[in-house]
Amino acid sequence: MVRKRALKIVVPLVALLFVAAFAKHRLIDGKIQQAGTLKSKDMDETSGIAASAVNPGLYYVHNDSGDSSRFFAITESGELKSTIKFKGDAKEPLGVRDCEDIAVGPGPVKRKSYVYLGDIGDNSANRKFITIYRFAESKQWKNAGKTEATPAVINLRYPDGAWDAESLAIDPLDKLIYIITKRGDSVRVYTSPLVPPAGDTVTLTFRARLFFAGLKPFKWITAADISPDGKHFLVRSYEKVYYWQRRGTEPLWVTLQRVPEELPYKLERQGEAIGFTANGEGYLTTSEGLYAPIYYYKLPAQ
């Protein structure tokens, strides 16, 4: 927790010094548009964003460590439509420890969509297991105000110790949960079945090690997302957005081992969220901080 608080101070201050140097490079051909601003004070440490599959124009966001067991449904412009509360881990004072990313994808029931909220942060790298909360999407969330939902609980452990992670993504084709670690000179990619055995703590499978050039902590990986059709993969750090396109039916961990394309990105205060739009034609980013802007980027033509 101390390391994270220090990072919250250091990253914004240093990032401001880099804005002028990077802004011209990032604003490529006017492709970056500010879609809106997070409009509620409740959304002050936003760490993930994902597009709804049942409510057009709706997105899910959440705070990271320090918030209670809840997430939010917002419009692309940042208007808060619903606050979805749930019962998390009774052993945690707030119900959750450190939710760091959110994703939308298929699940146990065919033709239904689910929200996956990843309580996967571990700054001290000492957790015995991490937890994914899975919720069936509801059409009522488009304007429910304050409401509650009951999640399925998926507990996961790493095969090789404990790791801090802030990136969760769902592969709708191979039906896998992807987790990418945050820190280190290189990061690690793990997967788990999308619908693991009920009641068990599942051991993740190590798939790949990825190296991203740059200086720490700017190169640390803070979010990921897979497009609804499973063909595109986004990974972001504090200062860059990386993009891969899947070839045929190859596993996405194979896709990730190719050199990525760097996409346009406007440097944010402490950018920790990225998500595809529902049609997969673009992506949104946003940052920690009160009233953080939401940026829209069109995906390059393929």
Side-chain angles (χ1 to χ4, degrees):
M1 189 67 71
V2 173
R3 292 169 64 187
K4 185 153 191 177
R5 288 198 188 101
L7 181 59
K8 288 178 185 294
I9 296 172
V10 173
V11 169
L13 290 177
V14 179
L16 288 174
L17 299 178
F18 278 76
V19 167
F22 277 92
K24 186 175 181 181
H25 174 68
R26 302 293 182 192
L27 295 169
I28 300 175
D29 298 330
K31 293 180 180 178
I32 300 174
Q33 304 171 28
Q34 184 168 340
T37 301
L38 296 173
K39 295 180 173 62
S40 171
K41 290 182 179 180
D42 287 343
M43 300 179 286
D44 60 344
E45 292 192 14
T46 302
S47 189
I49 187 168
S52 169
V54 302
N55 290 306
L58 200 73
Y59 290 83
Y60 303 111
V61 298
H62 64 92
N63 295 319
D64 58 14
S65 60
D67 198 9
S68 59
S69 50
R70 63 178 179 172
F71 61 101
F72 311 98
I74 66 169
T75 64
E76 185 175 299
S77 64
E79 181 183 355
L80 177 61
K81 306 300 289 185
S82 298
T83 299
I84 302 105
K85 297 183 178 181
F86 63 96
K87 291 183 179 179
D89 186 349
K91 296 179 181 179
E92 293 291 337
L94 297 173
V96 291
R97 184 179 297 189
D98 190 2
C99 293
E100 288 289 356
D101 208 358
I102 195 166
V104 171
V109 180
K110 291 183 178 180
R111 293 183 291 277
K112 280 196 173 183
S113 178
Y114 295 82
V115 176
Y116 294 79
L117 179 61
D119 188 352
I120 59 176
D122 189 7
N123 293 317
S124 300
N126 60 10
R127 296 179 68 167
K128 293 181 179 179
F129 63 89
I130 56 177
T131 301
I132 310 295
Y133 295 97
R134 183 181 65 218
F135 307 81
E137 271 206 89
S138 171
K139 289 188 176 181
Q140 279 66 47
W141 291 349
K142 65 182 177 182
N143 198 17
K146 293 183 178 180
T147 188
E148 295 185 2
T150 301
V153 178
I154 303 171
N155 291 322
L156 305 171
R157 68 164 64 93
Y158 295 100
D160 47 7
W163 300 91
D164 187 25
E166 294 191 1
S167 302
L168 167 72
I170 302 299
D171 180 0
L173 300 184
D174 286 343
K175 304 296 191 297
L176 291 174
I177 297 170
Y178 272 76
I179 292 176
I180 304 176
T181 61
K182 177 180 181 179
R183 305 170 188 270
D185 192 48
S186 61
V187 297
R188 304 169 70 85
V189 180
Y190 297 87
T191 66
S192 165
L194 201 57
V195 186
D200 293 337
T201 299
V202 177
T203 300
L204 290 154
T205 300
F206 172 72
R207 297 297 190 180
R209 191 190 304 268
L210 308 178
F211 174 79
F212 298 98
L215 299 175
K216 303 173 186 178
F218 307 107
K219 63 179 283 182
W220 286 351
I221 301 303
T222 61
D225 199 25
I226 298 168
S227 61
D229 62 7
K231 296 180 180 179
H232 309 277
F233 207 131
L234 289 171
V235 171
R236 71 165 297 172
S237 67
Y238 286 115
E239 68 169 2
K240 291 184 179 181
V241 169
Y242 301 98
Y243 166 75
W244 295 260
Q245 185 172 8
R246 191 179 210 153
R247 294 177 183 171
T249 59
E250 69 181 3
L252 280 171
W253 68 80
V254 174
T255 305
L256 289 172
Q257 293 178 68
R258 292 196 292 272
V259 176
E261 180 179 352
E262 290 186 24
L263 298 188
Y265 170 61
K266 180 177 174 60
L267 200 64
E268 295 169 324
R269 177 182 178 272
Q270 189 174 341
E272 293 193 6
I274 193 167
F276 281 99
T277 55
N279 61 13
E281 294 179 357
Y283 57 98
L284 299 180
T285 69
T286 191
S287 170
E288 292 197 4
L290 282 173
Y291 310 121
I294 304 168
Y295 294 105
Y296 168 81
Y297 308 77
K298 186 172 177 57
L299 203 65
Q302 302 300 317

